[in-house]
Amino acid sequence: MASNHMSMEAKVYDTTGKEAGKVTLPEAVFGADWNPDLVHEVVVGMQANAREGIAHTKDRSEVRGGGRKPWRQKGTGRARHGSRRSPIWTGGGVTFGPRNEKDFSKKINKNLKAKALASTLAKKQADGEIIFVKELTFGEPKAAEAKTVFSALAKGSAHEDMARKRKNAALIVLSGRDLNTEKSFRNFGNLEVKSVKDINPVDLLTYKYVVVADPETSLKTLEERVAMKAARITTADKK
């Protein structure tokens, strides 16, 4: 872990892309080891929890028609049938078809989720994919101004490909809700804006870069999120 101790600082940029200082990274978050198995388990679980059952077929009790017997039981020379709703009839119900009542959710341990968040952030930082910006605010929603700022950050941080990437370019993390900033970036298909209290490993792995605004406040929130989960587990163990 010695290498992590040596890199517990990161550059902070302003909205023009110029270096505006440095920020100390909390070791509880950015000193975590990369654990791909743990992250995979948490990501798969979160994706399953977000999954909704869409495919839905009707069984014989739900399809229309079939109230009367198609023909009398005997004497016609044809096979006997009781209802046109039968699965063997065209337009009848479906047997063992997909139903939207299926529950895909999986239980995710809170401590594991916190560890996966820290592990993913540490990996992103080690790969140079996190950019800290001193502040990211707009007086009013301005897409043109937002594009200029984003391009300046990409160039100033030596990540020019971030501004050219057509899909999943960057996740912009704000220290709190800011409607003007959210609306300014809303029409960019390759960007997403989220509050620091809401980000998760799925968000971080979906986008190549992570732009963290107001790092002092944002990092404190991240540290609290990781430490809070760990403290709960420790207290439970003592009992």
Side-chain angles (χ1 to χ4, degrees):
M1 299 296 290
S3 58
N4 286 334
H5 285 290
M6 294 174 63
S7 58
M8 285 291 107
E9 280 191 341
K11 294 179 180 179
V12 178
Y13 300 89
D14 60 21
T15 52
T16 65
K18 295 180 180 178
E19 189 174 342
K22 291 188 176 182
V23 64
T24 301
L25 305 178
E27 186 180 349
V29 180
F30 293 92
D33 294 325
W34 172 236
N35 189 334
D37 294 333
L38 169 65
V39 173
H40 178 266
E41 178 184 347
V42 171
V43 167
V44 169
M46 294 187 68
Q47 289 175 330
N49 293 341
R51 183 177 176 182
E52 295 181 1
I54 297 176
H56 181 79
T57 55
K58 295 180 179 180
D59 59 27
R60 64 183 299 160
S61 68
E62 296 172 314
V63 294
R64 292 186 61 185
R68 100 183 250 196
K69 189 173 173 66
W71 48 74
R72 59 195 176 96
Q73 183 81 344
K74 297 183 178 183
T76 65
R78 290 178 289 184
R80 51 194 172 186
H81 289 286
S83 172
R84 296 178 187 274
R85 297 178 185 176
S86 171
I88 65 176
W89 280 65
T90 300
V94 177
T95 305
F96 304 126
R99 306 284 291 179
N100 59 13
E101 295 100 346
K102 185 172 182 179
D103 183 10
F104 297 98
S105 64
K106 294 183 178 181
K107 185 177 180 180
I108 306 175
N109 183 287
K110 290 183 178 180
N111 188 41
L112 296 183
K113 192 174 180 180
K115 287 182 177 179
L117 177 64
S119 181
T120 307
L121 284 166
K123 181 69 163 62
K124 283 278 186 185
Q125 175 61 20
D127 292 344
E129 295 175 351
I130 299 183
I131 301 165
F132 297 95
V133 55
K134 189 173 183 180
E135 61 179 10
L136 198 58
T137 57
F138 300 91
E140 57 182 324
K142 285 286 187 180
E145 186 177 346
K147 184 177 181 179
T148 300
V149 169
F150 187 71
S151 298
L153 283 173
K155 185 176 181 180
S157 62
H159 295 304
E160 288 86 351
D161 62 317
M162 182 172 74
R164 298 191 300 266
K165 193 168 171 56
R166 294 176 63 87
K167 292 183 179 180
N168 304 331
L171 173 68
I172 298 175
V173 180
L174 305 180
S175 59
R177 291 297 305 273
D178 186 329
L179 291 179
N180 286 341
T181 302
E182 292 171 17
K183 289 180 179 180
S184 296
F185 288 103
R186 184 166 57 188
N187 291 332
F188 295 85
N190 60 347
L191 304 176
E192 183 177 0
V193 180
K194 274 200 168 188
S195 175
V196 67
K197 67 181 180 61
D198 297 324
I199 63 171
N200 56 61
V202 176
D203 297 326
L204 296 171
L205 293 174
T206 298
Y207 295 86
K208 179 171 177 60
Y209 294 101
V210 180
V211 178
V212 180
D214 187 10
E216 294 288 347
T217 304
S218 295
L219 292 176
K220 184 178 180 181
T221 301
L222 286 173
E223 188 174 20
E224 288 173 351
R225 286 183 62 184
V226 173
M228 190 180 301
K229 299 295 188 302
R232 285 176 183 172
I233 299 300
T234 302
T235 303
D237 290 340
K238 288 181 178 179
K239 291 181 181 179

